[in-house]
Amino acid sequence: PEVITIQELANRMAERAVDVIKLLMKQGQMAKITDTIDADTAQLIAEELGHTVKRVSEADVEEGLFDVADAPEDLLPRPPVVTIMGHVDHGKTSLLDAIRKTNVVSGEAGGITQHIGAYQVTAPSGAKITFIDTPGHAAFTAMRARGAKVTDVVVLVVAADDGVMPQTVEAIQHAKAAKVPLIVAINKIDKPDAKPERVRTELLQHEVQVETFGGDTLEVEVSAKQKTNLDKLLDIIGLQSEILELKANPNRPAEGTVIEAKLDRGRGPVATVLVQRGTLKVGDIVVAGAEWGRVRALVSDTGASIATAGPAVPVEVLGFNGTPEAGDRLAVVDNEARAREVTDYRSHQKREKQAARATGMRGSLEQMMS
Ligand code: GDP
Ligand code: MG
């Protein structure tokens, strides 16, 4: 059943909580400011205080925010979004760094490129590819749980000298659960004890059959250290993406997912967002989780200030009033009132959930003590 705390009810009516408590007492109900009352009682109280009540459901509030279908003719090709996964120390970070450095345009080389958790590169074929900086398996799962499908392709890094390890298997399972195709990058082939054949055999045991073994999983032997075959990896990603026929409508209000977010001393809340459909613009009013804001600035992966960001573009969003959470979905709304409606409702839900959890914990603690 829907409930609300007395404090929250008072806040929403801009009344004093004590007046709410007094009314409740008149009805023979003793309550503290932190207590919750059900929706019917709240409605009675509100009407007693001369307010009109509009009860909203989650469906009303969330209506039209996400996944409004695009007409097929509005869909245009978009770059793939790639996540690199694999066992610790198998070279995920090295590979991401190597790809990024080889790809940095000369004018930028040596310059300070900002780290924003995601970046876009151009493959030798000219195709663009977006990489998300290892969100880690936990974040990947969290995003999936929230209905945010961020990745189109997973590059599974396996060190040739170490072979398939527990987190390699985990990554395979994640990719399968999310129905995301895998590309196998056998890394560290520069090492004298590299055994790429063994990696292929071990992968078979986890139902990953690479091309050279007659399967359909694309693969490439690389060395992040010596920058071997990085172009080949990019081309293979391009190939895999063509098969997927990835498309999005750039000409609509933006939707995206928060990859990471932090409170920056100078700049305030900063959210790294992957735009997934539509185009995000400076001046847009956005909601993400329980936070909203007017986009004050968009900063690209190279640190440049940009005015717009289209599908598959990773971008830092400045202007949020609070810091959203990684995995939160972002949507553009029509106006501030709508943004407030959505985020008020969500923060209320969030508080209720926390309160319910706290009560549940107290309950079990009491049981334990008795
Ligand atoms: P992560 O934990 O998967 O992100 O792995 P890192 O990128 O941090 O790499 C772990 C270690 O392996 C580091 O010492 C890297 O220098 C080393 N390493 C990564 N790639 C290669 C490679 O291609 N060849 C060799 N010889 N060492 C590598
Ligand atoms: Mg790493």
Side-chain angles (χ1 to χ4, degrees):
E2 274 210 84
V3 293
I4 186 168
T5 65
I6 288 169
Q7 178 70 75
E8 174 71 19
L9 177 63
N11 288 351
R12 290 202 194 180
M13 299 184 296
E15 299 279 357
R16 296 187 313 161
V18 60
D19 293 330
V20 175
I21 292 174
K22 274 185 193 158
L23 274 174
L24 281 166
M25 274 171 71
K26 261 195 211 165
Q27 299 175 355
Q29 198 175 329
M30 298 293 290
K32 301 187 300 298
I33 188 164
T34 50
D35 285 347
T36 56
I37 52 176
D38 62 44
D40 290 337
T41 313
Q43 175 155 6
L44 276 177
I45 299 282
E47 280 163 359
E48 194 99 348
L49 287 166
H51 296 273
T52 17
V53 175
K54 189 179 146 220
R55 272 157 77 168
V56 289
S57 70
E58 181 161 358
D60 291 337
V61 175
E62 303 285 335
E63 166 94 57
L65 276 185
F66 295 110
D67 302 326
V68 176
D70 291 294
E73 64 268 25
D74 292 335
L75 298 175
L76 299 176
R78 67 158 175 87
V81 179
V82 178
T83 307
I84 299 194
M85 298 182 105
H87 198 71
V88 65
D89 284 345
H90 280 200
K92 299 179 291 294
T93 304
S94 305
L95 198 56
L96 269 164
D97 287 351
I99 291 169
R100 182 169 201 177
K101 283 199 196 97
T102 9
N103 209 264
V104 178
V105 290
S106 54
E108 222 180 349
I112 302 156
T113 43
Q114 209 169 333
H115 174 91
I116 78 160
Y119 62 82
Q120 204 171 58
V121 302
T122 307
S125 66
K128 287 199 157 66
I129 301 169
T130 302
F131 283 93
I132 298 186
D133 209 342
T134 54
H137 302 172
F140 196 71
T141 311
M143 284 183 196
R144 204 147 43 78
R146 285 179 217 198
K149 187 178 181 262
V150 179
T151 312
D152 302 305
V153 174
V154 167
V155 170
L156 179 68
V157 180
V158 191
D161 61 337
D162 203 25
V164 170
M165 296 299 279
Q167 284 167 280
T168 317
V169 179
E170 247 179 70
I172 293 170
Q173 285 160 354
H174 278 307
K176 279 190 178 154
K179 296 193 170 59
V180 175
L182 272 183
I183 291 173
V184 174
I186 303 178
N187 190 31
K188 307 199 187 185
I189 49 151
D190 60 283
K191 289 190 114 176
D193 53 346
K195 295 187 188 70
E197 262 338 73
R198 203 191 72 189
V199 172
R200 292 184 179 95
T201 311
E202 288 172 348
L203 284 170
L204 268 183
Q205 290 161 20
H206 301 280
E207 283 148 48
V208 176
Q209 195 172 8
V210 295
E211 272 195 311
T212 45
F213 275 19
D216 51 15
T217 301
L218 302 177
E219 61 171 320
V220 59
E221 291 183 6
V222 297
S223 164
K225 190 178 180 184
Q226 301 192 335
K227 301 193 166 50
T228 314
N229 277 348
L230 300 187
D231 278 357
K232 200 170 161 198
L233 173 61
L234 295 184
D235 277 340
I236 288 176
I237 294 170
L239 212 67
Q240 177 68 65
S241 312
E242 270 173 39
I243 299 169
L244 296 174
E245 292 189 59
L246 303 164
K247 286 179 178 163
N249 176 7
N251 301 308
R252 50 166 283 162
E255 267 180 38
T257 297
V258 175
I259 303 298
E260 58 185 27
K262 56 172 193 268
L263 184 59
D264 185 284
R265 268 200 187 182
R267 302 186 295 166
V270 179
T272 301
V273 171
L274 173 74
V275 178
Q276 292 170 289
R277 344 159 77 166
T279 297
L280 187 61
K281 304 182 181 76
V282 171
D284 277 348
I285 295 170
V286 290
V287 296
E291 306 299 339
W292 71 277
R294 182 185 290 273
V295 179
R296 189 173 76 235
L298 295 172
V299 183
S300 80
D301 55 351
T302 59
S305 187
I306 53 179
T308 63
V313 174
V315 68
E316 273 187 343
V317 177
L318 277 62
F320 271 102
N321 299 328
T323 312
E325 290 170 23
D328 280 344
R329 295 177 77 187
L330 171 139
V332 171
V333 295
D334 286 341
N335 50 51
E336 283 195 21
R338 176 77 174 118
R340 280 182 205 281
E341 181 193 28
V342 172
T343 52
D344 280 356
Y345 183 81
R346 288 178 181 173
S347 31
H348 172 65
Q349 296 289 93
K350 209 164 140 182
R351 274 197 304 274
E352 290 302 339
K353 267 190 202 139
Q354 277 157 1
R357 258 203 301 276
T359 316
M361 260 148 60
R362 225 171 13 245
S364 55
L365 200 64
E366 275 158 15
Q367 278 167 11
M368 266 165 52
M369 308 286 258
S370 65

